[in-house]
Amino acid sequence: MMQRVLITGGAGFIGSHLAERLLDAGYQVAVLDNLSTGRFENIAHLVGRPGFSFAIDSIENEIVLDRLASESDAIVHLAAAVGVKLVVERPVHTIETNIMGTEAVLRVAARYRARVLIASTSEVYGKGARTPFREDDDVVLGPTSRNRWAYAASKMVDEFLALAYHQKYELPAVIVRLFNTVGPRQVGRYGMVIPRFMRQALAGEPITVYGDGSQSRCFCDVSDTVRALEALMVHPQAAGRVFNVGSTEEVTILELAQRVKAIAHSDSPITFIPYEEAYAPGFEDMKRRVPDISRLHELTGWQPRYRLDDILMRVKNWLQDSETRV
Ligand code: UDP
């Protein structure tokens, strides 16, 4: 019986929603977060709830990580350097955090035979042209001279390592490739498009579409995402496998800007910003990103419940209620 769950990165956007969901389901939840991109206020409302505990520290602190792992039946490893903007700006930090952090988590998970869920990313599909993306597709990344690919490559190393631990030590490790995820508590500071567009629309500022806006994405509500994480965490046949988690409702970024504008009843103009200005020169964006979610659906019955317009409404309401406008 799995009862105690450690969430690394549990004060982050996805982690804090997962913590809440697992507490509601009766689990004991421990959060480990160094508050680099996470925020204490994301979990402040959970403090004092029976079964909840937290430690503000880095996953690089082996003593703390060891103790927390020794008290856990499962570890959900979400702590990472996230967001394309951060990755382009701080490549050393990204590579080190993502590779060394996962290695540390796998080592302690193996030590205590804890089940472990490793968060990977749709970025690992790189420039794959065949959509929707399936877990066993070949991968084409750009050259090492482009920082962007450091993120995908570091997460691929994480995946290889987790699968190797599964093979060699029979560690029950599950890999989830998270596609674009959105919802309350996500901040635009690290580049994520929906909180940025919604904040711009509500403030009457120009909505900044990068490139020509013809690139497309599928946005999954965070409450759907954490439902998938819980299902995979407990499913006995998930171990040693990779799963896409995301929505399949595709939208171009230009259409997204128009929908945000309409939902916010905003007069903001939509402006187009060249990629070179938005990111670094030579930046390559992904043209389309759509997951094939049949593997996850077949194993667990999961499918997303929220549609894009509902998600946008939730983000709008959260931004309007939130003290900390982003
Ligand atoms: N984007 C945009 N304007 C912004 C922020 C992002 O047009 O202010 C675009 C970005 O270039 C990408 C898409 O929105 O094509 C999604 O960006 P995000 O950083 O949210 O996620 P990604 O899919 O790049 O990981």
Side-chain angles (χ1 to χ4, degrees):
M1 184 57 188
M2 194 186 299
Q3 285 172 330
R4 305 165 303 171
V5 182
L6 167 63
I7 307 175
T8 72
F13 159 54
I14 298 176
S16 62
H17 284 278
L18 180 65
E20 202 169 310
R21 177 174 176 90
L22 295 181
L23 278 176
D24 288 346
Y27 291 90
Q28 289 179 37
V29 174
V31 160
L32 175 62
D33 200 304
N34 66 356
L35 304 184
S36 58
T37 51
R39 302 196 297 181
F40 190 74
E41 63 199 85
N42 287 345
I43 53 168
H45 64 295
L46 303 177
V47 176
R49 274 185 65 164
F52 181 74
S53 62
F54 66 87
I56 305 303
D57 208 332
S58 159
I59 43 174
E60 284 159 35
N61 186 332
E62 284 177 35
I63 294 168
V64 172
L65 184 63
D66 181 280
R67 177 178 61 77
L68 292 173
S70 74
E71 296 165 354
S72 303
D73 304 306
I75 304 174
V76 182
H77 177 47
L78 297 171
V82 286
V84 173
K85 194 159 168 247
L86 189 69
V87 166
V88 170
E89 285 165 8
R90 299 185 61 195
V92 173
H93 170 77
T94 303
I95 298 167
E96 290 188 349
T97 307
N98 292 357
I99 295 181
M100 294 173 196
T102 300
E103 189 191 354
V105 167
L106 288 169
R107 221 176 314 122
V108 292
R111 190 174 295 152
Y112 299 106
R113 273 294 156 117
R115 215 178 149 79
V116 63
L117 213 85
I118 301 290
S120 183
T121 167
S122 56
E123 283 275 318
V124 302
Y125 289 105
K127 303 188 197 188
R130 199 183 69 183
T131 46
F133 294 142
R134 301 184 66 136
E135 289 88 345
D136 291 331
D137 282 349
D138 287 343
V139 166
V140 183
L141 300 184
T144 49
S145 50
R146 305 257 159 94
N147 284 350
R148 173 184 193 133
W149 303 108
Y151 184 55
S154 68
K155 286 291 187 175
M156 282 180 73
V157 172
D158 291 354
E159 292 195 14
F160 278 125
L161 204 55
L163 293 174
Y165 266 80
H166 174 72
Q167 281 161 16
K168 188 157 168 43
Y169 305 116
E170 290 171 27
L171 178 73
V174 186
I175 292 154
V176 288
R177 289 187 183 155
L178 300 176
F179 283 66
N180 296 67
T181 306
V182 63
R185 300 187 202 136
Q186 184 178 45
V187 292
R189 203 180 312 145
Y190 307 107
M192 280 67 180
V193 66
I194 287 185
R196 284 174 61 83
F197 279 7
M198 191 58 81
R199 192 202 60 77
Q200 290 165 341
L202 290 173
E205 294 168 8
I207 300 177
T208 55
V209 169
Y210 298 161
D212 64 4
S214 65
Q215 70 273 34
S216 70
R217 296 291 186 273
C218 303
F219 295 94
C220 188
D221 191 277
V222 66
S223 60
D224 283 328
T225 304
V226 298
R227 231 172 6 90
L229 297 183
E230 184 191 357
L232 288 171
M233 185 181 81
V234 297
H235 202 293
Q237 273 136 40
R241 303 181 72 190
V242 180
F243 295 88
N244 288 338
V245 177
S247 158
T248 52
E249 186 184 349
E250 188 176 2
V251 65
T252 68
I253 297 302
L254 177 57
E255 192 192 338
L256 177 72
Q258 289 156 347
R259 280 161 80 165
V260 166
K261 199 175 143 155
I263 282 179
H265 303 293
S266 168
D267 296 328
S268 291
I270 293 174
T271 57
F272 295 88
I273 299 183
Y275 283 118
E276 296 73 36
E277 247 175 70
Y279 298 102
F283 180 84
E284 298 176 78
D285 197 13
M286 242 70 87
K287 189 75 187 145
R288 278 185 82 191
R289 187 187 279 157
V290 183
D292 180 322
I293 51 173
S294 50
R295 181 179 287 185
L296 172 59
H297 180 70
E298 277 156 26
L299 188 73
T300 67
W302 180 88
Q303 55 188 27
R305 291 180 183 153
Y306 281 92
R307 307 220 17 114
L308 182 59
D309 282 339
D310 305 321
I311 298 173
L312 295 178
M313 191 57 83
R314 261 159 63 80
V315 171
K316 171 177 168 271
N317 292 341
W318 177 73
L319 276 175
Q320 285 177 324
D321 293 348
S322 172
E323 292 290 309
T324 47
R325 293 276 181 110
V326 284

